[in-house]
Amino acid sequence: MKQCDKKNLEKRRENIIGLGDRSFRKNYYPQLKRNTDRLERFKALLDYTPDMVMLISLPDGKISDVNQAVCQLFGKSTDELVEHPIQDLPWGDNSGLINTLLSVSKSPDNKNSGSVVIDYMKNDGAQIYLELGYQLAKLDQADFCVVIGRDVTELVQQNEKLNSLLIEKNALLDNTLVGMAWVEDRHIISCNQRFEDMLGYEPGAIIGASTEILYDSAETYRMFGSEAYRVMTTEDTYTGSIQLKRADGNTVWCELTGNAIDKQHPHKGSVWIFNDINHLKLSEEKAVFMSQHDNLTGLPNHHLLSDRFDQAKVRADRYHYHIAVMSIDIDNFKTINDLVGYSGANDVLVQISQRLNDCFEELGTVSRQGGDEFIIMIPNLPNTDNSLSRISALFSAIEAPLYIHDQEIVLTHSVGVSFYPDDGTDFEMLLSKADSAMYQAKEDGRNTYRFYRKHMNRSVEDELTVAFGLRRAIEENQLQLYYQPKIEIASGMLMGAEALIRWIHPEKGMISPGKFIPIAETTGLIIPISDWVLKNACEAVARWREMGMPQPLVAVNLSALQFARGNVQESVYQAIKHANIEPGMLELELTESIMIRDPSRVLEVVQTLKDFGCRFSIDDFGTGYSSLAYLKRFPIDILKIDREFIKDVASNSDDEIIVKTIIQMAQSFGMTTVAEGIEDAETLEFLRHLGCDRSQGYYTGRPMPEHEFIEFMLNNKEKMISAGILSERK
């Protein structure tokens, strides 16, 4: 094989390379020219773009390239900007922006893009706003930041002007005298400050809320909305007045005007104007009240009383009720006027008005006719005899002493009574006849009553005697407690007693509780009587304890009026403290009439006394329609089965089922059962078989004075010791 010499080899290599260079230039230059032209066109495109474009190398922060918009903004040529650090640009006080651009490639959370608006003062003194967007870019393994800026001065100025207009608009709306709200689907979308102030809400607190919170009930909300949106679909505007509920729960009268944006779909959007008319409404109500009530006492006047009579008359005709009209005149009121003066006499009338209203507010209407004359109308009387206790209450209310300027005044009065329909069907006629009867009472000596129908005057005399004597009975110790034993059926052991009040009248002898307790309830004397019973019963059980009674326990009946007008807790506390007994030695008996009057309040009192240690029983259980509900709610220890179920329990299968059910239910609740009204051995034995715990009745122990009860107690104790029962329990 023939070898080339070196010289020839180099020459051939040059020829080959030269051929390659020519080939390369032939193919590359057209592509290079196309790329260069394209680059020039892109450069021209950027230069003619109104937005500024700037390329910044990172991390040194030098400007790599700019378009003409940047040069025009800063008033410099490309050469004056390129390869210079961005810190040299006349940014003004925007050092934070520079730091952001320089650190964009080092962001720890990869947040390598963003935008910001800056303000910049040009060389000619004009202030402009620039919105700058920045983005990290990598070119040939190097980091760059691309910055694109746009002059947003006009947009910023427009926004500032718009915001200024909005502020002015909001200020105008917030300072209007009416509330305004935008409502969609009965939800508040927006409102002015006056609306929030009117209804007592913090700024923004009511936005998004349902308008139901503005109404006192769901029914009011439903009815108002139904009517308002119905009107807005047929008319241009709805207008109405209603009481709206404020944030604090109080109400305010408002006049509402609503306009639907689309009458076909008013729920989709409506504008409401709220005008506060509370003062106007209250003024109207006050004017109406003054036109219907006495200026001095606030009692209904003749006009309102006549209107209420007409309403009562309709009900009386439907249910065959009677209506009592009482005409009352203070005796010798001129003497009172002379004694205490005009102002003092007015104070007397105001106090008398308050007493009468407290006594009859739930029963009827008390009206002042003028001067010292009053009218009381009592509707819904099943018969005329039902008025007797009301007359008793009237005398009790007025006879108590008054104090004017530290001077005691005792009043008397004369009363005349007429009845609808017995004495007439017209109000004025009945009033005239009641006046006639009242004048007859004055002629008969004052401080008494008379009926228009003469035969009724005797029938009420005994009841009034009882009412007048009750207060004296308390003061003169005519009341006495009797005690009826409660016996454990299984063993015969004495388990305590129930305190029963008796009235020993000095002239009439013993007066039945069934006769004077209802009058005491009506007159309010039941409160001091009940306090007297509590005090004396607690003192008695303290004595029994000292005498060695194994189970010292006394039961006392509570009155519904004690819960309504008295202070049961304080009365019980004081009685227990005074007698120095354990709270568990006192059993408090509740009736259904107590529990249904105000269940929540009664439950609160009962629970407090239960926590204190007192025991509670339900009296006459089984006679009330809702007794079972009270077993669940109230902390009861003892159920007393009513005597109506006990008297025939041994012979009546229905009574047997009822009593057996009550006993089993009580056992399930962990309660003790007491059977009332046991009269014979057969009934007692039958109850023993049913599992009843205790007995109370004449067969096992009649009610007796304390000295007899103590003898009964000591005898029972001896029997229990002899039988070995008492020692086993110690």
Side-chain angles (χ1 to χ4, degrees), residues 188-253:
I188 300 169
I189 305 303
S190 63
C191 64
N192 66 348
Q193 183 179 336
R194 174 58 180 157
F195 177 80
E196 295 170 331
D197 293 343
M198 185 186 304
L199 296 173
Y201 285 91
E202 294 295 325
I206 202 171
I207 301 301
S210 168
T211 55
E212 186 172 357
I213 66 174
L214 304 180
Y215 301 91
D216 59 1
S217 67
E219 181 66 13
T220 306
Y221 165 77
R222 185 189 64 79
M223 292 180 63
F224 180 85
S226 177
E227 174 64 14
Y229 286 101
R230 182 192 65 77
V231 171
M232 284 193 288
T233 58
T234 57
E235 303 175 18
D236 292 334
T237 301
Y238 170 81
T239 301
S241 298
I242 192 172
Q243 274 188 305
L244 297 181
K245 187 167 67 174
R246 288 170 47 87
D248 58 8
N250 293 321
T251 58
V252 56
W253 275 101

Side-chain angles (χ1 to χ4, degrees), residues 579-647:
N580 193 26
I581 65 171
E582 296 297 324
M585 296 165 64
L586 177 63
E587 175 189 328
L588 300 171
E589 294 192 3
L590 303 173
T591 60
E592 187 179 43
S593 62
I594 293 175
M595 294 184 284
I596 65 174
R597 188 160 189 166
D598 187 354
S600 297
R601 181 175 179 275
V602 173
L603 177 60
E604 181 182 355
V605 174
V606 169
Q607 188 62 60
T608 301
L609 291 174
K610 177 67 176 176
D611 295 340
F612 182 58
C614 296
R615 304 185 193 184
F616 280 91
S617 61
I618 294 183
D619 199 10
D620 303 330
F621 184 80
T623 59
Y625 68 91
S626 55
S627 295
L628 293 177
Y630 300 134
L631 287 185
K632 180 180 179 181
R633 296 185 61 187
F634 286 79
I636 301 301
D637 302 288
I638 300 169
L639 290 187
K640 301 187 68 176
I641 307 172
D642 188 75
R643 66 183 66 248
E644 287 298 317
F645 303 120
I646 298 299
K647 64 180 182 180

Side-chain angles (χ1 to χ4, degrees), residues 486-495 667 672-673 678 684-695 700 716 720 723 725 728-729:
K486 294 183 181 181
I487 303 297
E488 186 176 63
I489 295 177
S491 66
M493 183 175 178
L494 178 64
M495 302 300 292
Q667 290 172 346
T672 300
T673 50
I678 298 178
L684 181 65
E685 186 59 33
F686 197 84
L687 289 167
R688 186 199 313 274
H689 172 72
L690 292 180
C692 184
D693 298 303
R694 298 174 188 174
S695 67
T700 53
N716 181 267
M720 295 300 105
I725 295 174
E728 292 176 4
R729 295 192 174 221

